[in-house]
Amino acid sequence: MAGCGFNEHHQNEVINYMRFARSKMVLRLKTIDSCFEELKDSRLVEETFTVDEVKEMLDGLQMVVRGEVEMELINSAHTNVLLLRQLFAQAEKFYLRLQSDISELENRELLEQVAEFEKTDFKTDKINQETSKPKLAPLNEGGVSELLNKEITRLQEENDKLKARMRTLESQAMSALDERTKADRALKDLKKVQGDQQLASQSQEINSLEDTVAALKDDYERSLSANSASQKGLQENLISAKHELLRVQDQLSLAEKELDKKFQQTAAYRNMKEILTKKNEQIKDIRKRLQRYEPNE
């Protein structure tokens, strides 16, 4: 029945079912033939029969034949239901919903194709060959099951690749964080060294001024007790020294700001700042990529 588009496996299944149906039909025809033979042997023993006797024999034969035909039709319908049950059970294993078109069962063109198939491809000598009980293809071999297994394997491999990629991204993120921490520490150490040097120089100058103020104060106190006339001059000198101290402190503050400004303009500071900027951009990029793989976290 190649015209119907069956593959070799399904064509063999059709042949097996037609063999089964043919064997049941032959058996039922033999039963009907035996009914006629029994009637001939048991009733047709006389040479003449009345009309009523002939009618009685035909009515009895009709009932027997009708019963046999009815039983065969019912059994054939039930057998078809069992065949459909096997097919539907296989389909439901894969969540499929098979549908049938009852009107196609009376399609004359298709029925003629079946008859032609029975004449050409379904050889009579194959009917008497020993055949095993038809079995449906195992659910765990070939067909849809094989496709599902391949798809599951592909998804598992893709999942493993994503997990490996996640581990790589996490490692890169941790490395970037470590490098940023090291860069921050190096920058702080550099600023601390330069700041300590500047503060040491400023501290020496402040100590020197403080010593001068202390000496002036001592001179003032000694002069105050020795000569009240020079008290005013000493106070003015003290006030002038205090002003000078404030001026020097302002200069030191300006010098410190200028030093910090100059430090920011040094190549080491620019390089360190550029490294920190790049590391921050890398961390932001890695975080965005991580969010694509784990959007809910």
Side-chain angles (χ1 to χ4, degrees):
M1 205 151 60
C4 295
F6 285 169
N7 58 31
E8 182 178 359
H9 172 76
H10 289 160
Q11 183 167 317
N12 291 332
E13 292 294 323
V14 171
I15 291 175
N16 289 333
Y17 179 74
M18 292 185 70
R19 285 174 179 170
F20 170 75
R22 174 69 67 87
S23 64
K24 299 294 288 184
M25 180 187 68
V26 170
L27 180 61
R28 191 57 60 186
L29 290 176
K30 288 181 179 180
T31 303
I32 294 176
D33 290 340
S34 66
C35 293
F36 283 89
E37 292 296 331
E38 183 181 359
L39 177 63
K40 293 177 183 179
D41 295 339
S42 62
R43 301 295 301 272
L44 299 181
V45 294
E46 300 179 7
E47 296 182 356
T48 59
F49 293 93
T50 64
V51 175
D52 293 336
E53 288 175 340
V54 173
K55 183 178 180 181
E56 180 186 357
M57 288 188 291
L58 291 177
D59 290 341
L61 181 60
Q62 179 185 5
M63 290 181 60
V64 174
V65 174
R66 178 185 176 86
E68 291 293 334
V69 173
E70 183 179 9
M71 183 181 300
E72 175 60 22
L73 292 175
I74 293 174
N75 184 68
S76 178
H78 293 174
T79 302
N80 290 333
V81 171
L82 293 180
L83 179 61
L84 291 174
R85 179 178 178 272
Q86 295 182 51
L87 297 176
F88 291 158
Q90 281 199 25
E92 289 175 0
K93 291 287 185 181
F94 301 101
Y95 305 97
L96 300 177
R97 293 185 177 182
L98 302 183
Q99 293 181 344
S100 60
D101 188 354
I102 303 299
S103 63
E104 289 295 320
L105 299 179
E106 297 181 352
N107 189 314
R108 299 306 305 174
E109 182 179 354
L110 294 179
L111 291 174
E112 290 176 1
Q113 290 182 14
V114 174
E116 185 65 23
F117 169 74
E118 195 170 20
K119 291 178 182 179
T120 56
D121 296 339
F122 190 74
K123 304 300 182 180
T124 305
D125 57 346
K126 293 183 180 179
I127 298 177
N128 297 323
Q129 295 178 355
E130 183 179 357
T131 58
S132 60
K133 182 180 179 180
K135 295 182 179 179
L136 296 176
L139 295 178
N140 60 345
E141 298 180 1
V144 179
S145 179
E146 183 177 356
L147 293 177
L148 290 176
N149 289 331
K150 289 182 179 179
E151 182 65 14
I152 290 173
T153 302
R154 185 188 68 79
L155 292 175
Q156 288 177 345
E157 292 176 353
E158 185 176 350
N159 189 34
D160 293 338
K161 291 180 181 179
L162 289 175
K163 288 182 179 179
R165 183 60 177 166
M166 287 291 294
R167 288 193 293 268
T168 302
L169 291 175
E170 289 176 356
S171 177
Q172 292 178 355
M174 294 300 296
S175 299
L177 289 174
D178 292 339
E179 292 180 2
R180 180 183 177 182
T181 302
K182 292 179 182 179
D184 288 339
R185 290 178 180 175
L187 180 60
K188 289 181 180 179
D189 293 340
L190 181 61
K191 292 180 69 175
K192 183 178 180 181
V193 170
Q194 294 185 354
D196 290 342
Q197 293 176 353
Q198 182 66 24
L199 289 176
S201 176
Q202 294 175 357
S203 178
Q204 290 178 358
E205 187 173 357
I206 290 174
N207 290 334
S208 178
L209 290 173
E210 288 179 347
D211 292 339
T212 301
V213 172
L216 291 172
K217 186 176 180 181
D218 291 338
D219 291 341
Y220 170 73
E221 291 177 351
R222 288 194 299 269
S223 299
L224 181 62
S225 59
N227 189 0
S228 58
S230 60
Q231 182 178 3
K232 184 176 181 180
L234 291 174
Q235 287 179 346
E236 290 177 354
N237 289 336
L238 180 60
I239 292 172
S240 177
K242 288 183 177 180
H243 289 169
E244 182 65 18
L245 177 61
L246 293 175
R247 185 184 65 78
V248 171
Q249 288 179 343
D250 290 339
Q251 290 179 353
L252 288 175
S253 177
L254 292 174
E256 184 178 1
K257 293 180 180 178
E258 184 67 22
L259 177 62
D260 187 62
K261 182 177 180 180
K262 289 180 179 180
F263 172 73
Q264 292 180 4
Q265 295 176 353
T266 61
Y269 178 82
R270 290 196 301 271
N271 292 335
M272 192 63 64
K273 185 174 182 181
E274 184 178 357
I275 291 173
L276 288 176
T277 302
K278 291 181 179 179
K279 294 300 178 181
N280 288 333
E281 292 176 355
Q282 290 180 0
I283 291 173
K284 290 180 180 179
D285 181 62
I286 292 173
R287 286 177 176 172
K288 290 180 180 179
R289 294 163 66 185
L290 287 173
Q291 288 177 358
R292 289 201 301 268
Y293 292 99
E294 297 179 356
N296 295 328
E297 295 184 3

